Amino acid sequence: TAGDKIIIAAAESNVALSTTQNKNNRGAVAITKSKEYDTISYGADVQILTVEFGKVNDTFALNTGSGYLYAASSSENLLRTEATLSDNSSWTITADSSGLATIKAHGDNTRNELRYNSTSSIFSCYASGQQNVAIYYLDGEEPDYMKVSTDTISFTAEGGEQTFTVSNNFDAKESVTCDNDLF
């Protein structure tokens, strides 16, 4: 969600994305993962990223505080930081049930998946291969959510009544509208 603060870590190694931007990639710094792999301990050299809306619909930008991570090439494995948001710094971010994340840029550059290279101990962008990454939320920060107790509400007769609940963890005004020809 835009506004979240996250850390990108290697899923199968005890390292995370570094604050140091090398010429063509980001280094890896040591972290300690909990036994359950659901929390990590980290130092000041781990990059905390702020998630923002990307330039491309349904994408996110990863703001380092000094720019946006972007997939920088189609012919080389490059992960750089740019000052201005572009399609190459607009990422789709998905995670499966085991916590493995897919972070893929949506510009013209085809080496566009953020992965961890254990041989070189770097994070960069690749067309394929390398190791999976995982996303950790900053300590004590829970992503914003809004939950509705049902997916659909239907009425069988005019004047019928249905009850549902809406819960969230942020300030919001909820309203209900009905798009029904019976009214």
Side-chain angles (χ1 to χ4, degrees), residues 81-156:
T81 303
E82 63 184 357
T84 304
L85 184 62
S86 72
D87 291 358
N88 287 308
S89 56
S90 298
W91 307 82
T92 54
I93 303 171
T94 57
D96 67 19
S97 60
S98 68
L100 299 179
T102 301
I103 304 172
K104 188 172 183 179
H106 279 271
D108 294 331
N109 293 328
T110 56
R111 295 195 185 192
N112 59 355
E113 192 170 335
L114 201 158
R115 309 276 286 172
Y116 174 65
N117 179 327
S118 61
T119 304
S120 300
S121 194
I122 59 168
F123 288 86
S124 201
C125 290
Y126 301 90
S128 62
Q130 306 309 324
Q131 288 188 11
N132 293 317
V133 294
I135 296 174
Y136 291 87
Y137 290 96
L138 189 62
D139 288 346
E141 300 237 352
E142 180 180 25
D144 289 344
Y145 69 83
M146 181 175 283
K147 297 178 185 172
V148 179
S149 61
T150 183
D151 289 333
T152 60
I153 297 175
S154 60
F155 297 91
T156 57

Side-chain angles (χ1 to χ4, degrees), residues 5-27:
K5 302 228 183 270
I6 64 169
I7 293 170
I8 296 174
E12 299 145 14
S13 300
N14 291 321
V15 295
L17 189 77
S18 169
T19 56
T20 302
Q21 176 66 59
N22 300 322
K23 181 179 177 188
N24 295 320
N25 53 59
R26 284 281 176 129

